[in-house]
Amino acid sequence: MQQVVEVGLKTALFAGYLVLYARARLFDVPARSGVAWIACLVGVDFLYYWFHRKSHEVNAFWAAHVVHHQSEEYNLAVALRQGAFQGAFSWVFYLPLAVVGFPPLMFLAVSSVDTLYQFWIHTRAIGRLGPLEWVLNTPSNHRVHHGRNPKYIDRNHGGILIVWDRLFGTYAAEQEEPVYGITTPLRSWNPLWANVHYWVDLAARARRTARLRDKLRLFVARPGWQPAERGGFQPPPEVDGVARRTLVATAPAAVQAYALVQFVVGLGLGTVFLFREAAWPSSVRWTTAAFIVATVAACGGLLERRRWAMPVEVARLAAAVPLVLAAAPPRASLVPLAAMIATAIAISAWLLRAVRRSPQAPPTAGGA
């Protein structure tokens, strides 16, 4: 979902860097200088630290970043779990590099290195790494960052270098293994809800707040802040030190199989979308994006046995046929297209029959 949404955001957000570089840069940093590349990497990592830190200290930023911290596991897949709207907040932090004069392609390449480095640190399989812990962000240092133990919260924000945390007072060493996740567990399989739930919570708290000044402050205050009338700041709750899953799959095996099949199909469609969308008409591009989002939302709803999930799934399947026909190349043979559509309908009908026979969950509070 994050990758699909970024298709519509990347060009617009990078435009700010291009404009500042073209009109306001102070220097012409040489693109062939090794020193310039190293300086750009250090600059990106330094600014990433501040973006990441503020993503934990400002409610509006946390609402976009919280997706990355919802997982109660800690493995390499967590590195790929990113908020769909995080890019809308992060880009402004890197604009000083454009003003200095680092070329846009250098900035993009170095940003990719900074991001890719952080993949391998999302693991429990690697212990402490001795003297490297003083300089680099390591699996041990980053496990602390993902802990919801009060002493670990808002610590170790660095990307590649952990020295920023040591310099600015946000470093904490790993002692006992953290309990992973967020202080109020998500308890949902729905990626759409995962991306919006904190916004919904902020809006609800704003409605319950009397003064306009406090309503606005709520969005820029740190998580846990509340006006005095509502009890003041709420510190993170203690944990018992034992990692427990707060959400366990209860859907029947047939429903889980159906969700798996549809997710795999959606994943394939998403891959085609990312590689081919530039050649598609705008109407097909955004209809396909909406279809992919509907796919992951429906899978989540079915796994949670929500009553709204079945109507959404039926509507989504009905929309699949015209979508495939619209996205097909003009000279595509009708035979493979018809076979693909017939196969999809047959599989979906068989699995939908199993889904319809399973009991539905009663409605619950919230939008999950």
Side-chain angles (χ1 to χ4, degrees), residues 12-22 40 91 94-99 101-108:
L13 299 180
F14 190 51
Y17 193 98
L18 294 174
V19 169
L20 280 180
Y21 178 79
C40 188
W91 68 278
Y94 299 105
L95 294 181
L97 298 175
V99 176
F102 288 104
L105 291 180
M106 178 188 290
F107 165 70
L108 285 179

PDB file of all heavy atoms in Angstrom, residues 12-22 40 91 94-99 101-108:
ATOM      1  N   ALA A  12       5.712  14.807  -6.867  1.00  0.00           N
ATOM      2  CA  ALA A  12       5.312  16.084  -6.288  1.00  0.00           C
ATOM      3  C   ALA A  12       6.236  16.490  -5.148  1.00  0.00           C
ATOM      4  O   ALA A  12       6.634  17.663  -5.034  1.00  0.00           O
ATOM      5  CB  ALA A  12       3.865  16.007  -5.798  1.00  0.00           C
ATOM      6  N   LEU A  13       6.621  15.537  -4.299  1.00  0.00           N
ATOM      7  CA  LEU A  13       7.440  15.868  -3.140  1.00  0.00           C
ATOM      8  C   LEU A  13       8.877  16.189  -3.544  1.00  0.00           C
ATOM      9  O   LEU A  13       9.519  17.065  -2.955  1.00  0.00           O
ATOM     10  CB  LEU A  13       7.415  14.712  -2.139  1.00  0.00           C
ATOM     11  CG  LEU A  13       6.028  14.362  -1.587  1.00  0.00           C
ATOM     12  CD1 LEU A  13       6.129  13.207  -0.611  1.00  0.00           C
ATOM     13  CD2 LEU A  13       5.377  15.567  -0.929  1.00  0.00           C
ATOM     14  N   PHE A  14       9.402  15.500  -4.537  1.00  0.00           N
ATOM     15  CA  PHE A  14      10.772  15.769  -4.979  1.00  0.00           C
ATOM     16  C   PHE A  14      10.868  17.098  -5.719  1.00  0.00           C
ATOM     17  O   PHE A  14      11.955  17.675  -5.836  1.00  0.00           O
ATOM     18  CB  PHE A  14      11.259  14.626  -5.869  1.00  0.00           C
ATOM     19  CG  PHE A  14      12.728  14.686  -6.188  1.00  0.00           C
ATOM     20  CD1 PHE A  14      13.667  14.825  -5.173  1.00  0.00           C
ATOM     21  CD2 PHE A  14      13.166  14.615  -7.492  1.00  0.00           C
ATOM     22  CE1 PHE A  14      15.027  14.880  -5.457  1.00  0.00           C
ATOM     23  CE2 PHE A  14      14.515  14.664  -7.794  1.00  0.00           C
ATOM     24  CZ  PHE A  14      15.444  14.798  -6.770  1.00  0.00           C
ATOM     25  N   ALA A  15       9.735  17.609  -6.198  1.00  0.00           N
ATOM     26  CA  ALA A  15       9.741  18.889  -6.915  1.00  0.00           C
ATOM     27  C   ALA A  15      10.280  20.009  -6.026  1.00  0.00           C
ATOM     28  O   ALA A  15      10.958  20.927  -6.512  1.00  0.00           O
ATOM     29  CB  ALA A  15       8.328  19.227  -7.397  1.00  0.00           C
ATOM     30  N   GLY A  16       9.995  19.957  -4.717  1.00  0.00           N
ATOM     31  CA  GLY A  16      10.492  20.993  -3.814  1.00  0.00           C
ATOM     32  C   GLY A  16      12.008  21.037  -3.784  1.00  0.00           C
ATOM     33  O   GLY A  16      12.626  22.112  -3.789  1.00  0.00           O
ATOM     34  N   TYR A  17      12.640  19.856  -3.768  1.00  0.00           N
ATOM     35  CA  TYR A  17      14.104  19.788  -3.779  1.00  0.00           C
ATOM     36  C   TYR A  17      14.637  20.366  -5.090  1.00  0.00           C
ATOM     37  O   TYR A  17      15.592  21.153  -5.098  1.00  0.00           O
ATOM     38  CB  TYR A  17      14.554  18.339  -3.624  1.00  0.00           C
ATOM     39  CG  TYR A  17      16.030  18.183  -3.314  1.00  0.00           C
ATOM     40  CD1 TYR A  17      16.474  17.985  -2.014  1.00  0.00           C
ATOM     41  CD2 TYR A  17      16.991  18.245  -4.328  1.00  0.00           C
ATOM     42  CE1 TYR A  17      17.825  17.838  -1.717  1.00  0.00           C
ATOM     43  CE2 TYR A  17      18.344  18.109  -4.057  1.00  0.00           C
ATOM     44  CZ  TYR A  17      18.757  17.905  -2.748  1.00  0.00           C
ATOM     45  OH  TYR A  17      20.095  17.777  -2.472  1.00  0.00           O
ATOM     46  N   LEU A  18      14.012  20.000  -6.208  1.00  0.00           N
ATOM     47  CA  LEU A  18      14.468  20.473  -7.513  1.00  0.00           C
ATOM     48  C   LEU A  18      14.373  21.989  -7.631  1.00  0.00           C
ATOM     49  O   LEU A  18      15.280  22.642  -8.158  1.00  0.00           O
ATOM     50  CB  LEU A  18      13.652  19.808  -8.618  1.00  0.00           C
ATOM     51  CG  LEU A  18      13.819  18.292  -8.780  1.00  0.00           C
ATOM     52  CD1 LEU A  18      12.836  17.754  -9.815  1.00  0.00           C
ATOM     53  CD2 LEU A  18      15.244  17.959  -9.174  1.00  0.00           C
ATOM     54  N   VAL A  19      13.272  22.548  -7.137  1.00  0.00           N
ATOM     55  CA  VAL A  19      13.085  23.992  -7.220  1.00  0.00           C
ATOM     56  C   VAL A  19      14.136  24.737  -6.398  1.00  0.00           C
ATOM     57  O   VAL A  19      14.754  25.707  -6.863  1.00  0.00           O
ATOM     58  CB  VAL A  19      11.656  24.376  -6.763  1.00  0.00           C
ATOM     59  CG1 VAL A  19      11.534  25.894  -6.590  1.00  0.00           C
ATOM     60  CG2 VAL A  19      10.633  23.882  -7.762  1.00  0.00           C
ATOM     61  N   LEU A  20      14.366  24.290  -5.169  1.00  0.00           N
ATOM     62  CA  LEU A  20      15.364  24.955  -4.324  1.00  0.00           C
ATOM     63  C   LEU A  20      16.769  24.799  -4.902  1.00  0.00           C
ATOM     64  O   LEU A  20      17.568  25.739  -4.875  1.00  0.00           O
ATOM     65  CB  LEU A  20      15.316  24.391  -2.906  1.00  0.00           C
ATOM     66  CG  LEU A  20      14.211  24.935  -2.003  1.00  0.00           C
ATOM     67  CD1 LEU A  20      14.283  24.277  -0.632  1.00  0.00           C
ATOM     68  CD2 LEU A  20      14.321  26.441  -1.848  1.00  0.00           C
ATOM     69  N   TYR A  21      17.072  23.629  -5.422  1.00  0.00           N
ATOM     70  CA  TYR A  21      18.403  23.416  -6.007  1.00  0.00           C
ATOM     71  C   TYR A  21      18.610  24.328  -7.212  1.00  0.00           C
ATOM     72  O   TYR A  21      19.688  24.897  -7.401  1.00  0.00           O
ATOM     73  CB  TYR A  21      18.559  21.958  -6.422  1.00  0.00           C
ATOM     74  CG  TYR A  21      19.885  21.668  -7.088  1.00  0.00           C
ATOM     75  CD1 TYR A  21      21.043  21.507  -6.327  1.00  0.00           C
ATOM     76  CD2 TYR A  21      19.989  21.562  -8.477  1.00  0.00           C
ATOM     77  CE1 TYR A  21      22.269  21.253  -6.927  1.00  0.00           C
ATOM     78  CE2 TYR A  21      21.206  21.310  -9.092  1.00  0.00           C
ATOM     79  CZ  TYR A  21      22.342  21.160  -8.305  1.00  0.00           C
ATOM     80  OH  TYR A  21      23.551  20.919  -8.907  1.00  0.00           O
ATOM     81  N   ALA A  22      17.564  24.491  -8.027  1.00  0.00           N
ATOM     82  CA  ALA A  22      17.679  25.292  -9.244  1.00  0.00           C
ATOM     83  C   ALA A  22      17.739  26.786  -8.950  1.00  0.00           C
ATOM     84  O   ALA A  22      18.439  27.535  -9.640  1.00  0.00           O
ATOM     85  CB  ALA A  22      16.514  24.987 -10.181  1.00  0.00           C
ATOM     86  N   CYS A  40      27.448  14.282   1.604  1.00  0.00           N
ATOM     87  CA  CYS A  40      26.004  14.175   1.363  1.00  0.00           C
ATOM     88  C   CYS A  40      25.405  13.043   2.186  1.00  0.00           C
ATOM     89  O   CYS A  40      24.322  13.187   2.761  1.00  0.00           O
ATOM     90  CB  CYS A  40      25.744  13.946  -0.125  1.00  0.00           C
ATOM     91  SG  CYS A  40      23.990  14.029  -0.588  1.00  0.00           S
ATOM     92  N   TRP A  91       9.988  14.840   3.409  1.00  0.00           N
ATOM     93  CA  TRP A  91      10.737  15.530   2.351  1.00  0.00           C
ATOM     94  C   TRP A  91      11.245  16.898   2.778  1.00  0.00           C
ATOM     95  O   TRP A  91      12.338  17.311   2.404  1.00  0.00           O
ATOM     96  CB  TRP A  91       9.870  15.662   1.103  1.00  0.00           C
ATOM     97  CG  TRP A  91       8.702  16.599   1.272  1.00  0.00           C
ATOM     98  CD1 TRP A  91       7.508  16.316   1.850  1.00  0.00           C
ATOM     99  CD2 TRP A  91       8.624  17.965   0.860  1.00  0.00           C
ATOM    100  NE1 TRP A  91       6.675  17.408   1.836  1.00  0.00           N
ATOM    101  CE2 TRP A  91       7.341  18.436   1.228  1.00  0.00           C
ATOM    102  CE3 TRP A  91       9.503  18.843   0.225  1.00  0.00           C
ATOM    103  CZ2 TRP A  91       6.932  19.743   0.977  1.00  0.00           C
ATOM    104  CZ3 TRP A  91       9.091  20.146  -0.035  1.00  0.00           C
ATOM    105  CH2 TRP A  91       7.815  20.579   0.339  1.00  0.00           C
ATOM    106  N   TYR A  94      14.849  17.426   4.297  1.00  0.00           N
ATOM    107  CA  TYR A  94      16.054  17.293   3.474  1.00  0.00           C
ATOM    108  C   TYR A  94      16.308  18.501   2.581  1.00  0.00           C
ATOM    109  O   TYR A  94      17.321  18.546   1.868  1.00  0.00           O
ATOM    110  CB  TYR A  94      15.952  16.033   2.615  1.00  0.00           C
ATOM    111  CG  TYR A  94      15.850  14.772   3.424  1.00  0.00           C
ATOM    112  CD1 TYR A  94      14.646  14.092   3.554  1.00  0.00           C
ATOM    113  CD2 TYR A  94      16.957  14.256   4.075  1.00  0.00           C
ATOM    114  CE1 TYR A  94      14.546  12.940   4.310  1.00  0.00           C
ATOM    115  CE2 TYR A  94      16.880  13.097   4.837  1.00  0.00           C
ATOM    116  CZ  TYR A  94      15.669  12.446   4.947  1.00  0.00           C
ATOM    117  OH  TYR A  94      15.581  11.302   5.702  1.00  0.00           O
ATOM    118  N   LEU A  95      15.456  19.514   2.613  1.00  0.00           N
ATOM    119  CA  LEU A  95      15.608  20.670   1.741  1.00  0.00           C
ATOM    120  C   LEU A  95      16.902  21.456   1.984  1.00  0.00           C
ATOM    121  O   LEU A  95      17.438  22.052   1.046  1.00  0.00           O
ATOM    122  CB  LEU A  95      14.392  21.586   1.880  1.00  0.00           C
ATOM    123  CG  LEU A  95      13.063  20.997   1.390  1.00  0.00           C
ATOM    124  CD1 LEU A  95      11.937  22.005   1.550  1.00  0.00           C
ATOM    125  CD2 LEU A  95      13.171  20.534  -0.060  1.00  0.00           C
ATOM    126  N   PRO A  96      17.450  21.489   3.218  1.00  0.00           N
ATOM    127  CA  PRO A  96      18.735  22.178   3.388  1.00  0.00           C
ATOM    128  C   PRO A  96      19.837  21.655   2.478  1.00  0.00           C
ATOM    129  O   PRO A  96      20.732  22.410   2.078  1.00  0.00           O
ATOM    130  CB  PRO A  96      19.067  21.936   4.870  1.00  0.00           C
ATOM    131  CG  PRO A  96      17.740  21.798   5.531  1.00  0.00           C
ATOM    132  CD  PRO A  96      16.886  21.080   4.525  1.00  0.00           C
ATOM    133  N   LEU A  97      19.785  20.376   2.121  1.00  0.00           N
ATOM    134  CA  LEU A  97      20.797  19.820   1.230  1.00  0.00           C
ATOM    135  C   LEU A  97      20.692  20.420  -0.164  1.00  0.00           C
ATOM    136  O   LEU A  97      21.710  20.602  -0.854  1.00  0.00           O
ATOM    137  CB  LEU A  97      20.666  18.298   1.156  1.00  0.00           C
ATOM    138  CG  LEU A  97      20.886  17.555   2.474  1.00  0.00           C
ATOM    139  CD1 LEU A  97      20.602  16.068   2.284  1.00  0.00           C
ATOM    140  CD2 LEU A  97      22.307  17.759   2.987  1.00  0.00           C
ATOM    141  N   ALA A  98      19.480  20.746  -0.594  1.00  0.00           N
ATOM    142  CA  ALA A  98      19.292  21.406  -1.887  1.00  0.00           C
ATOM    143  C   ALA A  98      19.857  22.823  -1.850  1.00  0.00           C
ATOM    144  O   ALA A  98      20.472  23.292  -2.815  1.00  0.00           O
ATOM    145  CB  ALA A  98      17.814  21.433  -2.253  1.00  0.00           C
ATOM    146  N   VAL A  99      19.652  23.506  -0.732  1.00  0.00           N
ATOM    147  CA  VAL A  99      20.164  24.877  -0.598  1.00  0.00           C
ATOM    148  C   VAL A  99      21.695  24.875  -0.588  1.00  0.00           C
ATOM    149  O   VAL A  99      22.332  25.744  -1.187  1.00  0.00           O
ATOM    150  CB  VAL A  99      19.601  25.532   0.678  1.00  0.00           C
ATOM    151  CG1 VAL A  99      20.214  26.917   0.882  1.00  0.00           C
ATOM    152  CG2 VAL A  99      18.082  25.630   0.600  1.00  0.00           C
ATOM    153  N   GLY A 101      23.536  22.769  -2.143  1.00  0.00           N
ATOM    154  CA  GLY A 101      23.932  22.554  -3.528  1.00  0.00           C
ATOM    155  C   GLY A 101      24.257  21.128  -3.899  1.00  0.00           C
ATOM    156  O   GLY A 101      24.881  20.870  -4.935  1.00  0.00           O
ATOM    157  N   PHE A 102      23.837  20.155  -3.098  1.00  0.00           N
ATOM    158  CA  PHE A 102      24.051  18.752  -3.458  1.00  0.00           C
ATOM    159  C   PHE A 102      23.126  18.394  -4.632  1.00  0.00           C
ATOM    160  O   PHE A 102      21.913  18.586  -4.540  1.00  0.00           O
ATOM    161  CB  PHE A 102      23.776  17.840  -2.268  1.00  0.00           C
ATOM    162  CG  PHE A 102      24.819  17.922  -1.194  1.00  0.00           C
ATOM    163  CD1 PHE A 102      24.576  18.621  -0.019  1.00  0.00           C
ATOM    164  CD2 PHE A 102      26.058  17.311  -1.371  1.00  0.00           C
ATOM    165  CE1 PHE A 102      25.547  18.701   0.977  1.00  0.00           C
ATOM    166  CE2 PHE A 102      27.028  17.375  -0.382  1.00  0.00           C
ATOM    167  CZ  PHE A 102      26.782  18.086   0.786  1.00  0.00           C
ATOM    168  N   PRO A 103      23.670  17.883  -5.726  1.00  0.00           N
ATOM    169  CA  PRO A 103      22.851  17.584  -6.910  1.00  0.00           C
ATOM    170  C   PRO A 103      21.707  16.622  -6.588  1.00  0.00           C
ATOM    171  O   PRO A 103      21.867  15.716  -5.763  1.00  0.00           O
ATOM    172  CB  PRO A 103      23.856  16.940  -7.881  1.00  0.00           C
ATOM    173  CG  PRO A 103      25.183  17.451  -7.445  1.00  0.00           C
ATOM    174  CD  PRO A 103      25.092  17.589  -5.949  1.00  0.00           C
ATOM    175  N   PRO A 104      20.558  16.797  -7.234  1.00  0.00           N
ATOM    176  CA  PRO A 104      19.386  15.953  -6.938  1.00  0.00           C
ATOM    177  C   PRO A 104      19.653  14.464  -7.082  1.00  0.00           C
ATOM    178  O   PRO A 104      19.209  13.670  -6.247  1.00  0.00           O
ATOM    179  CB  PRO A 104      18.344  16.444  -7.955  1.00  0.00           C
ATOM    180  CG  PRO A 104      18.729  17.861  -8.216  1.00  0.00           C
ATOM    181  CD  PRO A 104      20.221  17.897  -8.158  1.00  0.00           C
ATOM    182  N   LEU A 105      20.382  14.047  -8.139  1.00  0.00           N
ATOM    183  CA  LEU A 105      20.631  12.613  -8.312  1.00  0.00           C
ATOM    184  C   LEU A 105      21.558  12.077  -7.230  1.00  0.00           C
ATOM    185  O   LEU A 105      21.413  10.933  -6.796  1.00  0.00           O
ATOM    186  CB  LEU A 105      21.213  12.351  -9.703  1.00  0.00           C
ATOM    187  CG  LEU A 105      20.239  12.572 -10.862  1.00  0.00           C
ATOM    188  CD1 LEU A 105      20.920  12.274 -12.194  1.00  0.00           C
ATOM    189  CD2 LEU A 105      18.991  11.718 -10.707  1.00  0.00           C
ATOM    190  N   MET A 106      22.503  12.891  -6.785  1.00  0.00           N
ATOM    191  CA  MET A 106      23.361  12.486  -5.673  1.00  0.00           C
ATOM    192  C   MET A 106      22.518  12.297  -4.419  1.00  0.00           C
ATOM    193  O   MET A 106      22.668  11.302  -3.696  1.00  0.00           O
ATOM    194  CB  MET A 106      24.451  13.528  -5.412  1.00  0.00           C
ATOM    195  CG  MET A 106      25.356  13.198  -4.241  1.00  0.00           C
ATOM    196  SD  MET A 106      26.498  14.543  -3.808  1.00  0.00           S
ATOM    197  CE  MET A 106      27.612  14.495  -5.212  1.00  0.00           C
ATOM    198  N   PHE A 107      21.626  13.234  -4.167  1.00  0.00           N
ATOM    199  CA  PHE A 107      20.750  13.136  -2.988  1.00  0.00           C
ATOM    200  C   PHE A 107      19.895  11.872  -3.046  1.00  0.00           C
ATOM    201  O   PHE A 107      19.766  11.151  -2.046  1.00  0.00           O
ATOM    202  CB  PHE A 107      19.862  14.367  -2.888  1.00  0.00           C
ATOM    203  CG  PHE A 107      18.702  14.209  -1.953  1.00  0.00           C
ATOM    204  CD1 PHE A 107      18.906  14.130  -0.584  1.00  0.00           C
ATOM    205  CD2 PHE A 107      17.405  14.112  -2.433  1.00  0.00           C
ATOM    206  CE1 PHE A 107      17.831  13.962   0.287  1.00  0.00           C
ATOM    207  CE2 PHE A 107      16.335  13.945  -1.572  1.00  0.00           C
ATOM    208  CZ  PHE A 107      16.548  13.873  -0.213  1.00  0.00           C
ATOM    209  N   LEU A 108      19.302  11.567  -4.211  1.00  0.00           N
ATOM    210  CA  LEU A 108      18.461  10.379  -4.338  1.00  0.00           C
ATOM    211  C   LEU A 108      19.267   9.103  -4.109  1.00  0.00           C
ATOM    212  O   LEU A 108      18.819   8.190  -3.406  1.00  0.00           O
ATOM    213  CB  LEU A 108      17.809  10.340  -5.717  1.00  0.00           C
ATOM    214  CG  LEU A 108      16.641  11.289  -5.967  1.00  0.00           C
ATOM    215  CD1 LEU A 108      16.137  11.138  -7.391  1.00  0.00           C
ATOM    216  CD2 LEU A 108      15.514  11.053  -4.973  1.00  0.00           C
TER     217      LEU A 108
END
